[in-house]
Amino acid sequence: MCPWCYIGKRRLESALAELSNEVQADVVYHPFQLDPTVPRQGKSFAEHMASKFGPGRSESMFQHVEQVASEVGLDFDFNEIPKSINTFDLHRLLTIAYEKGLQAATKEALLKAYFVDRIDLTQEAVLLNVLETAGWDKKEALEVLKSEVASDSVQSEMEYFKQLGVSGVPFFILNNKYALSGAQPKETFMQALRQVIQESQPQIIAEGDSCDTTTGEC
């Protein structure tokens, strides 16, 4: 539901690509609901946003987001998004997707479907088609949607991050030590990643005779 999450994702990916010779990163997505009061059948996006921000403010706000999105290659048009949706079931799918090794593909497929393709993810058949593009078996995905599997896990994770003080997204945690709030510029991500790399490497405070695993010399 958060357009800045998609923008932040693209900027992080750009930073990681530029640092590909310096860092290897595992990216894990955790659940967070911006508005858990949205019904499962969704509600009109335009009406929902107008009720939250006011008609004039929501239009100018989204024009700015559309411009920024275009700078990272994303085609947003908030006038064409049909619904605001409840994301709880999608977070359940993402939790299971992590266990299946499909989380990155599932996250990208869902974001693209919602913000770029602007399709109604409350329609079961549509959602199953999107999941299939991310490597899911439709039957298995339907079984998840019809069940409550991973509900407790999603709820506990959301509560955990709330207790940590996370009140908005995107929110990035690096090595469980550093945090970046918001869709930071690529350069900020690169600086933070380099800092993490530097601090995770052992600092030599004294040198003596040793064997070198690279040269084989002792």
Side-chain angles (χ1 to χ4, degrees):
M1 279 294 294
C2 171
W4 289 109
C5 285
Y6 205 178
I7 294 169
K9 179 178 182 291
R10 279 288 183 270
R11 290 174 172 174
L12 174 63
E13 289 167 346
S14 180
L16 288 171
E18 196 153 332
L19 296 177
S20 59
N21 293 328
E22 301 177 44
V23 62
Q24 289 184 333
D26 292 322
V27 179
V28 181
Y29 297 97
H30 298 281
F32 187 95
Q33 282 192 286
L34 284 174
D35 189 350
T37 68
V38 175
R40 290 205 169 188
Q41 70 270 21
K43 57 169 50 175
S44 163
F45 181 83
E47 291 176 9
H48 185 50
M49 292 299 109
S51 67
K52 285 175 71 72
F53 304 110
R57 186 183 171 206
S58 63
E59 289 174 9
S60 60
M61 179 176 65
F62 286 133
Q63 285 175 0
H64 170 64
V65 179
E66 288 170 358
Q67 174 58 40
V68 177
S70 69
E71 295 169 4
V72 292
L74 296 172
D75 176 25
F76 286 4
D77 185 346
F78 291 95
N79 290 322
E80 297 297 325
I81 293 179
K83 286 183 180 178
S84 290
I85 59 175
N86 187 301
T87 57
F88 191 84
D89 284 341
L90 303 185
H91 285 304
R92 291 198 300 116
L93 288 162
L94 284 165
T95 297
I96 296 165
Y98 175 76
E99 299 167 0
K100 294 165 59 66
L102 296 174
Q103 195 185 49
T106 302
K107 181 69 170 179
E108 177 64 27
L110 291 173
L111 286 170
K112 180 178 181 295
Y114 187 75
F115 287 109
V116 177
D117 299 331
R118 300 182 277 277
I119 60 179
D120 183 0
L121 292 178
T122 67
Q123 300 298 311
E124 191 175 88
V126 171
L127 177 57
L128 291 175
N129 286 336
V130 171
L131 292 171
E132 187 176 41
T133 68
W136 281 78
D137 175 77
K138 280 187 176 182
K139 182 180 178 181
E140 183 180 4
L142 182 59
E143 288 174 354
V144 172
L145 289 171
K146 295 295 186 183
S147 73
E148 293 298 323
V149 64
S151 291
D152 290 344
S153 175
V154 168
Q155 199 63 55
S156 337
E157 271 208 277
M158 290 195 296
E159 184 60 30
Y160 170 74
F161 288 109
K162 182 180 177 181
Q163 291 177 359
L164 282 185
V166 179
S167 59
V169 285
F171 195 90
F172 302 85
I173 301 175
L174 309 180
N175 272 14
N176 291 319
K177 186 176 180 181
Y178 299 98
L180 293 170
S181 178
Q184 298 291 334
K186 177 187 74 174
E187 293 74 19
T188 302
F189 281 119
M190 291 177 65
Q191 180 182 358
L193 289 164
R194 282 185 167 131
Q195 182 176 344
V196 170
I197 295 166
Q198 183 178 4
E199 294 190 7
S200 65
Q201 292 174 341
Q203 302 298 311
I204 298 175
I205 58 174
E207 291 188 75
D209 295 331
S210 63
C211 294
D212 191 313
T213 57
T214 303
T215 65
E217 296 179 354
C218 290

